[in-house]
């Protein structure tokens, strides 16, 4: 069975989402934005809501709304207002204390009746680092060494917890970060992998690699759910969907798109005109990049393959960073989802609507029923926990065998 | 001004989560200003619990106990600020004096420094400045001009102290009450340590507390009326407690019932007053409607 989460990325994945006609531009600064989308996701029987996060103010804030609520407080509130939907929150392994995090996340799992999943990330960038006493980003390899140690501490603390038991045993471990270090961590600890991929064959190989790696760690590959991010632009006709996409491209604040791309590639784009190609000579191999090697690779592959002008590339990414974008009718989007799913490129998707809430309303009202008609998606929840929705058992403790 | 009541609940220990939910409604209807969520090894995490209870019941404040131990200040600032905005300006923190955390210790400017009271003062100062670093007036969301914020109103804090280095600014705007309320317990902390940052001071030994606090506040250029002084009591007959409050010029009480849900409910009924819920926690605690941010 296909798995679907909705990624409530503030106003939507597109950089111009907050400016979309009929959208309240600052709604994502109110808690109701998150609780009402979560309720809608529960009505649509999705597996979970997903919250990305980082402990810093996004330098692009001037031109694009940013994440601005801390995930455990948001998810504790959503838990109070919903009954079944899973609750996945991103919490940094780089800038948290493992004792504190294990307790807080374990308690959130208990409070929510066993619906919580922890997305382990290694926080990139100098801006977050400076909020924790550092002058710059921690080295990529060091971040991942710490992540492995950190996750082990947290999972062991959950396993030894008796006071506030959770119906799902312990929170589901989710992982995002697809560099070689990230893939190794995923094979070792992840029960759900949030990935980024533009290409079906690549995604298939990625999933196969994670599963094979899991076997090496003595795990059952069937106990890993791989969910690529999928940005959606839904229209009732193909023309309408394309128009929506074009409008979003127009609404993308140029300074935001350039700033984000420059940060992602770690190069300056100052002075480069929109009609000039990206100077490929400035790019290093992804394994040598800092920040996020995954998103670096995704963008570099587009540049290598298509040699786009800066303007074309900015439109192609539309401020979304590199997740795949599908634009079309509900049937066309369902076709795409079905193709990836049947090809073994994905166990489902972390759906990233273009604009929130409207893009998600369209997805829930039109794409989900189409997936149901094809027998790909549940008509109701079977269980009450996130583990049950994902079809996951309770894994043995790492190193305990 | 009527007597301010803050109720302490140990959720997960003496009362269950569902009992706490029922007590929250009763407390609100009894005119209680805030529920303070205790943090002990036997309680559920107070920020999670506060956020959850606030998702069920509105109209009452929540003060989460958070120790400095295991919590980096930037994380605490974000989390309590999120709670404050989610509750429409009805959140606070009772910052407990303690040690450092695994993340901050790795970069501590002076690794040998370990005085809980000094750490508290520095930590509380970082919190309040972070909470003022992104004033909500900065958030304009001008869709036409493609401007989310007036960036010039957002200021990093650039804190470089003995225990912590924190750049800031915070990632979200301030709440309807400006910033969350800071509650300080005297004991490990003395009035001088809390004078700069506390909005509420809680004492067990009330004799002389008002004078000592007044003096400490004056030394940092603040007025006694800017701070609410609460006396912590296990409970007793309201008449006796009120006489004690009056005798020592306290502004109110922090009630700490020793028993389970039934006892807490009985205490609430004994203390009930009829008052419409004030618009923010700050107002409920008799503080100025809004602080700088
Ligand atoms: C799909 C995906 C989503 C991610 N989401 C977050 C996030 O919400 N917050 C965060 O701090 N890091 C997130 N990360 C990880 C960061 O990108 C981080 O930079 C990490 O160090 C990059 O790992 P990588 O080099 O393995 O991609 C995500 C990574 C991927 C691939």
């Amino acid at each position: 069975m296909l798995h679907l989460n909705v990624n409530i990325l503030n106003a939507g994945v597109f950089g111009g989402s907050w400016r979309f006609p009929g959208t309240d531009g600052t709604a994502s600064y109110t808690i109701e934005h998150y609780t009402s989308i979560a309720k809608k996701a529960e009505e649509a029987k999705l597996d979970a809501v997903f919250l990305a996060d980082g402990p810093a103010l996004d330098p692009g804030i001037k031109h694009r709304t940013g994440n601005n609520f801390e995930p455990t407080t948001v998810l504790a509130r959503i838990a109070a207002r919903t009954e079944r939907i899973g609750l996945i929150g991103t919490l940094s392994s780089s800038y948290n204390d493992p004792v504190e995090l294990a307790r807080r996340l374990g308690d959130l799992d208990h409070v929510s009746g066993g619906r919580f999943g922890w997305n382990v990330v290694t926080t990139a960038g100098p801006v977050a680092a400076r909020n924790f006493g550092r002058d710059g980003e921690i080295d990529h390899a060091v971040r991942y060494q710490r992540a492995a140690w950190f996750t082990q501490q947290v999972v062991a603390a959950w396993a030894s917890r008796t006071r506030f038991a959770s119906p799902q045993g312990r929170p589901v471990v989710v992982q995002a970060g697809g560099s070689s270090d990230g893939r190794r961590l995923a094979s070792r600890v992840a029960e759900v992998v949030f990935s980024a991929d533009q290409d079906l064959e690549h995604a298939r190989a990625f999933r196969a690699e994670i599963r094979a790696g899991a076997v090496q760690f003595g795990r059952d590959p069937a106990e890993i759910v791989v969910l690529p991010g999928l940005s959606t632009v839904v229209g009732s006709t193909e023309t309408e969907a394309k128009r929506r996409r074009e409008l979003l491209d127009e609404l993308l604040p140029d300074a935001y798109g350039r700033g984000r791309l420059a940060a992602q590639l770690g190069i300056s784009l100052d002075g480069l005109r929109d009609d000039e190609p990206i100077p490929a000579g400035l790019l290093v191999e992804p394994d040598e990049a800092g920040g996020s090697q995954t998103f670096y690779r995704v963008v570099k592959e587009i540049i290598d393959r298509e040699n786009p002008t800066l303007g074309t590339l900015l439109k192609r990414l539309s401020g979304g960073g590199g997740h795949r974008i599908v634009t079309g009718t509900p049937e066309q989007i369902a076709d795409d989802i079905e193709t990836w799913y049947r090809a073994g490129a994905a166990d489902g998707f972390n759906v990233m609507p273009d604009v929130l809430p409207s893009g998600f309303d369209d997805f829930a009202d039109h794409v989900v029923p189409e997936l149901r008609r094809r027998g790909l998606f549940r008509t109701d929840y079977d269980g009450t926990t996130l583990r049950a929705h994902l079809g996951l058992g309770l894994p043995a403790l790492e190193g305990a065998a | 001004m009527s007597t301010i009541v803050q109720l302490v609940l140990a959720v997960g220990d003496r009362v269950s989560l569902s009992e706490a939910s029922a007590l929250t409604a009763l407390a609100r209807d009894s005119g209680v200003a805030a529920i303070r969520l205790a943090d002990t090894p036997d309680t559920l995490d107070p920020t999670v619990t506060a956020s959850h209870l606030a998702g069920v019941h509105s109209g009452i404040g929540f003060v989460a106990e958070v120790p400095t131990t295991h919590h980096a200040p930037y994380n605490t600032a974000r989390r309590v600020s999120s709670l404050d905005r989610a509750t429409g300006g009805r959140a606070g923190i009772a910052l407990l004096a303690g040690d450092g955390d695994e993340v901050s210790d790795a970069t501590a400017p002076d690794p040998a420094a370990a005085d809980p009271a000094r750490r508290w003062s520095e930590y509380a100062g970082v919190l309040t400045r972070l909470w003022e670093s992104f004033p909500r007036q900065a958030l304009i969301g001008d869709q036409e001009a493609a401007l989310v914020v007036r960036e010039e109103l957002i200021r990093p804090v650039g804190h470089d102290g003995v225990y912590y280095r924190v750049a800031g600014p915070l990632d979200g705007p301030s709440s309807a009450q400006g910033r969350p309320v800071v509650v300080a317990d005297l004991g490990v902390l003395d009035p001088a340590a809390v004078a700069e940052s506390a909005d509420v001071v809680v004492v067990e030994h009330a004799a002389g507390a008002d004078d000592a606090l007044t003096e400490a506040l004056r030394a940092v250029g603040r007025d006694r009326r800017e701070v609410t002084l609460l006396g912590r009591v296990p409970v007793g007959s309201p008449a006796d407690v009120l006489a004690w409050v009056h005798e020592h010029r306290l502004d109110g009480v922090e009630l700490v019932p020793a028993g389970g849900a039934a006892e807490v409910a009985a205490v609430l009924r004994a203390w009930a007053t009829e008052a419409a819920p004030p618009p923010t926690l700050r107002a409920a605690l008799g503080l100025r409607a809004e602080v700088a941010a």
Side-chain angles (χ1 to χ4, degrees):
Chain A
M1 184 64 75
L2 185 71
H3 299 289
L4 294 175
N5 300 334
V6 58
N7 187 331
I8 313 180
L9 196 76
N10 60 82
V13 69
F14 279 70
S17 55
W18 68 279
R19 302 176 68 200
F20 199 75
T23 298
D24 173 355
T26 55
S28 63
Y29 290 85
T30 68
I31 192 74
E32 291 73 24
H33 181 73
Y34 301 85
T35 48
S36 64
I37 293 169
K39 277 191 180 165
K40 179 88 184 177
E42 182 165 82
E43 281 163 26
K45 318 295 180 197
L46 262 55
D47 292 75
V49 295
F50 179 99
L51 298 177
D53 193 53
L57 178 67
D58 187 324
I61 183 67
K62 189 169 179 185
H63 300 296
R64 181 190 181 166
T65 55
N67 289 350
N68 62 94
F69 278 105
E70 189 282 327
T72 59
T73 46
V74 178
L75 295 176
R77 190 176 186 93
I78 293 176
R81 305 247 170 142
T82 56
E83 286 173 1
R84 295 288 192 95
I85 185 98
L87 315 162
I88 301 177
T90 298
L91 290 115
S92 173
S93 65
S94 310
Y95 300 117
N96 278 292
D97 181 303
V99 174
E100 188 278 320
L101 199 76
R103 188 268 186 118
R104 176 155 46 100
L105 302 190
D107 288 358
L108 177 52
D109 193 33
H110 173 79
V111 164
S112 66
R115 294 192 274 150
F116 181 67
W118 170 37
N119 181 31
V120 182
V121 295
T122 56
T123 302
V127 181
R130 288 196 285 266
N131 290 329
F132 299 91
R134 294 178 186 274
D135 293 323
E137 173 175 282
I138 306 172
D139 185 65
H140 191 275
V142 175
R143 297 206 305 272
Y144 270 106
Q145 278 158 20
R146 179 178 165 88
W149 167 81
F150 190 99
T151 310
Q152 212 166 12
Q153 301 288 306
V154 171
V155 172
W158 287 338
S160 65
R161 225 164 60 111
T162 50
R163 172 124 198 148
F164 297 115
S166 150
Q168 68 172 345
R170 62 176 195 254
V172 173
V173 176
V174 183
Q175 183 272 357
S179 59
S180 18
D181 288 337
R183 295 197 297 276
R184 196 169 321 117
L185 179 66
S187 291
R188 193 164 151 181
V189 303
E191 300 172 76
V192 176
V193 179
F194 176 24
S195 62
D197 236 313
Q198 296 275 345
D199 178 76
L200 186 144
E201 279 312 319
H202 192 284
R204 225 161 93 147
F206 175 89
R207 180 167 171 273
E209 185 190 331
I210 300 285
R211 290 163 63 96
V215 174
Q216 305 262 299
F217 281 106
R219 303 178 57 201
D220 176 359
E223 295 279 299
I224 300 184
V225 172
V226 178
L227 306 178
L230 185 68
S231 306
T232 52
V233 185
V234 187
S236 56
T237 63
E238 203 178 321
T239 316
E240 195 183 299
K242 282 193 176 134
R243 261 210 309 266
R244 186 173 165 103
R245 171 73 204 265
E246 280 160 18
L247 180 53
L248 280 162
D249 289 345
E250 280 167 34
L251 292 172
L252 172 70
D254 187 54
Y256 176 80
R258 281 178 166 252
R260 169 133 190 201
L261 182 61
Q264 205 165 345
L265 296 178
I267 60 176
S268 167
L269 297 171
D270 290 351
L272 192 67
R273 291 197 320 266
D274 274 359
D275 60 357
E276 291 179 304
I278 302 288
L282 292 180
L283 300 182
V284 298
E285 285 307 307
D287 277 352
E288 284 149 33
S292 169
Q293 296 180 358
T294 311
F295 289 107
Y296 190 95
R297 176 183 57 73
V298 167
V299 175
K300 184 171 187 296
E301 279 171 5
I302 296 174
I303 296 170
D304 290 348
R305 203 165 48 233
E306 302 169 15
N307 188 31
T309 62
L310 174 59
T312 307
L313 183 61
L314 290 176
K315 278 213 163 77
R316 167 105 199 238
L317 300 171
S318 208
H323 283 287
R324 196 163 63 95
I325 303 170
V326 287
T327 302
T329 63
E331 294 73 25
Q332 287 172 323
I333 292 175
D335 283 348
D336 181 283
I337 288 175
E338 181 166 8
T339 303
W340 275 55
Y341 177 63
R342 293 207 188 279
D347 297 301
F349 293 91
N350 213 7
V351 176
M352 312 179 71
D354 52 359
V355 178
L356 290 166
S358 65
F360 181 59
D361 288 344
D362 292 341
F363 185 87
D365 293 341
H366 303 292
V367 181
V368 170
E370 179 59 29
L371 292 168
R372 240 171 233 146
R373 265 193 290 280
R374 300 176 187 203
L376 292 169
F377 194 64
R378 68 173 71 83
T379 52
D380 202 354
Y381 291 114
D382 296 324
T384 59
T385 66
L386 176 57
R387 264 179 208 290
H389 305 340
L390 292 165
L392 295 171
L394 188 63
L397 191 61
E398 193 198 353
Chain B
M1 190 177 58
S2 63
T3 298
I4 292 157
V5 176
Q6 176 162 290
L7 175 75
V8 180
L9 287 183
V11 179
D13 186 3
R14 271 172 250 147
V15 299
S16 71
L17 185 66
S18 57
E19 287 169 342
S21 181
L23 290 170
T24 299
L26 181 59
R28 179 200 51 209
D29 298 341
S30 305
V32 168
I35 293 186
R36 171 171 171 165
L37 295 156
D39 183 42
T40 76
D42 294 324
T43 59
L44 289 163
D45 177 272
T47 55
V48 165
T49 308
S51 189
H52 193 263
L53 292 174
V56 185
H57 303 287
S58 56
I60 186 164
F62 292 93
V63 172
E65 285 187 3
V66 179
T68 62
T69 313
H70 295 305
H71 295 266
Y74 194 85
N75 291 336
T76 303
R78 280 188 82 212
R79 207 150 83 247
V80 177
S81 156
S82 284
L83 180 63
D84 194 24
R85 286 196 288 128
T87 56
R90 293 179 186 273
I93 180 176
L95 181 65
L96 308 182
D99 302 326
D101 62 277
E102 205 260 344
V103 176
S104 308
D105 289 353
T107 59
D110 177 359
D115 176 41
R118 291 208 178 140
R119 181 189 293 279
W120 191 97
S121 303
E122 187 175 325
Y123 197 117
V126 173
L127 290 183
T128 54
R129 271 176 286 132
L130 281 172
W131 287 330
E132 290 165 3
S133 66
F134 186 156
R136 71 184 176 291
Q137 293 80 1
L139 182 69
I140 49 171
D142 185 338
Q143 292 168 309
E144 198 59 40
L147 275 181
V148 176
V149 295
R150 290 169 58 195
E151 219 169 17
E152 66 280 10
L153 298 182
I154 302 174
R155 295 277 161 80
V157 300
H159 175 79
D160 196 347
V162 173
Y163 296 88
Y164 303 102
R165 290 176 71 208
V166 183
L170 206 59
D171 62 332
S174 54
S175 76
Q177 65 172 348
R179 62 166 171 77
V181 168
V182 175
V183 178
D185 298 333
L186 296 193
V188 175
L189 302 172
D190 60 21
V194 308
E196 281 195 22
S197 304
D199 299 299
V200 175
V201 170
V202 183
V203 292
E204 280 183 34
H205 306 291
D210 178 47
D211 285 341
L213 181 62
T214 304
E215 185 51 39
L217 289 169
R218 189 178 300 141
V220 297
R222 295 179 76 196
D223 189 282
R224 169 68 180 83
R225 282 167 300 187
E226 292 175 43
V227 175
T228 295
L229 181 60
L230 302 180
R232 188 175 172 97
V233 284
V235 300
S237 88
D240 292 349
V241 173
L242 286 174
W244 175 72
V245 163
H246 196 70
E247 180 191 345
H248 297 293
R249 297 194 300 276
L250 307 176
D251 301 310
V253 288
E254 185 174 86
L255 297 177
V256 195
E263 182 179 334
V264 179
V267 168
L268 285 172
R269 281 191 279 270
W271 278 86
T273 58
E274 294 214 3
T280 64
L281 176 56
R282 230 162 247 291
L285 290 166
L287 295 163
R288 265 191 311 190
E290 193 189 317
V291 289

